[in-house]
Amino acid sequence: MNANKTWRERAVHALIFEVLAVALTAPVLSWVMKMPMAHAGLLTLMISLVAMTWNMIFNSLFDRIERHWRLVRTMAMRMVHATAFEAGLVAIVVPLVAWWLDMSLLDALILDIGLLLFFLPYTFVFNLVYDKLRASLLRKRMFAG
C-alpha cells in the first residue's frame, strides 16, 4: 500500500508540516529571544521556506533509497529518517540564523539545538501520523473504486 508520492503530494505534505511548525515556533522564539513577533515570524518563515525545499528533496531521495534497498519504515527507520532530515536542515539553517540575528555560528547552533529539541520529535510524530492517514485514505480509495 505504498503508492508513489507525486510532487504535488510532497508539496502539500511539506506545506502542512511547515504551517504547523511556524504557528508553533514563532511565538515561542519571540518570547525566548525577547524579539518582536514580526522579526521572529520572518525568521521562522525563512527557515520554513528552506525547510520545505529540503523536505521535498530529502524525502524524495529517502523514498528512492527505501525502494532501492527495499527498506520498511519501522520505528528505527523512522528515527533514522527524522534524524537525517534534521541534521541536513541544521547544516543549512545555522548560517541563516547567525546572519539574521547577527550572532556567531556557535550561538546560532546553540539556538538551533533548542529548535531541534522540538523539531526532532515533531518531525517523527508528524510523519508517522501523515503516513497512517495517507495509508488509510489509499485503502478507502482502493476499496471505493
Side-chain angles (χ1 to χ4, degrees):
M1 186 73 51
N2 191 11
N4 289 337
K5 295 174 185 158
T6 64
W7 278 101
R8 182 176 180 266
E9 181 183 355
R10 288 184 194 291
V12 169
H13 173 269
L15 184 63
I16 294 168
F17 180 95
E18 294 303 327
V19 166
L20 286 172
V22 168
L24 293 169
T25 58
V28 174
L29 184 63
S30 174
W31 176 68
V32 168
M33 297 297 294
K34 296 177 178 45
M35 70 174 69
M37 180 63 138
H39 198 65
L42 284 174
L43 176 59
T44 57
L45 182 59
M46 285 188 294
I47 292 170
S48 175
L49 293 173
V50 168
M52 280 195 334
T53 303
W54 175 237
N55 184 315
M56 293 176 64
I57 293 167
F58 177 83
N59 283 314
S60 177
L61 293 171
F62 196 87
D63 288 350
R64 285 183 188 171
I65 291 167
E66 267 186 327
R67 281 192 305 273
H68 179 76
W69 292 100
R70 294 186 178 132
L71 301 174
V72 177
R73 285 215 183 173
T74 62
M75 284 299 158
M77 185 56 62
R78 288 180 183 284
M79 285 187 242
V80 167
H81 175 270
T83 302
F85 174 82
E86 292 302 334
L89 190 58
V90 166
I92 299 166
V93 166
V94 166
L96 173 66
V97 170
W99 168 76
W100 185 254
L101 296 179
D102 193 28
M103 60 175 45
S104 71
L105 287 172
L106 180 59
D107 287 342
L109 177 62
I110 292 167
L111 177 61
D112 202 57
I113 289 169
L115 289 171
L116 180 64
L117 292 174
F118 165 76
F119 275 100
L120 192 55
Y122 173 74
T123 301
F124 177 83
V125 170
F126 180 89
N127 285 303
L128 179 64
V129 170
Y130 181 89
D131 288 348
K132 287 189 180 297
L133 290 173
R134 181 179 187 272
S136 176
L137 287 171
L138 287 174
R139 271 193 304 277
K140 285 180 184 177
R141 284 186 194 152
M142 190 171 76
F143 291 119

